[in-house]
Amino acid sequence: MIKFLKKAFNDMKESAKAQHEVDKANFAAAKAESKAQWEEAKAMGKPETRNAVMQARRDKQIEEANQRKTEAEARISKVQGR
């Protein structure tokens, strides 16, 4: 009985240590994400940074639209037997 209790308490102790490490890692990740969001928001206050980000978004949207257009044209050619 005593061995069982010692093992049980030892297992709980190890589990608590492991959970503490997980909690520390999650806290560090949340802290880093928060700082990244702050820095991004601060950078977006600068017109040149905001313009660069917006241009990158537009370029990506144009690229995606062109890809969809190419896929649609390929489907049309396939259906028409070209």
Side-chain angles (χ1 to χ4, degrees):
M1 181 70 167
I2 295 204
K3 280 186 179 181
F4 173 77
L5 290 176
K6 281 185 179 181
K7 185 177 184 314
F9 282 114
N10 193 30
D11 287 346
M12 287 190 305
K13 180 180 171 183
E14 293 301 317
S15 179
K17 282 183 184 178
Q19 186 61 45
H20 179 67
E21 291 299 316
V22 170
D23 291 342
K24 281 182 12 182
N26 283 334
F27 179 74
K31 185 177 176 182
E33 289 170 344
S34 178
K35 181 158 176 81
Q37 288 175 342
W38 167 254
E39 292 297 329
E40 288 171 345
K42 193 166 73 170
M44 289 301 278
K46 298 176 185 173
E48 60 274 3
T49 305
R50 185 177 55 254
N51 289 340
V53 169
M54 296 304 285
Q55 185 61 44
R57 285 182 187 167
R58 287 189 294 268
D59 291 343
K60 184 179 177 187
Q61 289 173 343
I62 289 170
E63 207 174 293
E64 290 171 354
N66 287 336
Q67 179 66 29
R68 289 191 346 249
K69 179 183 169 192
T70 303
E71 290 171 0
E73 288 172 348
R75 287 174 35 210
I76 291 170
S77 295
K78 184 178 177 184
V79 170
Q80 292 178 348
R82 293 185 191 167

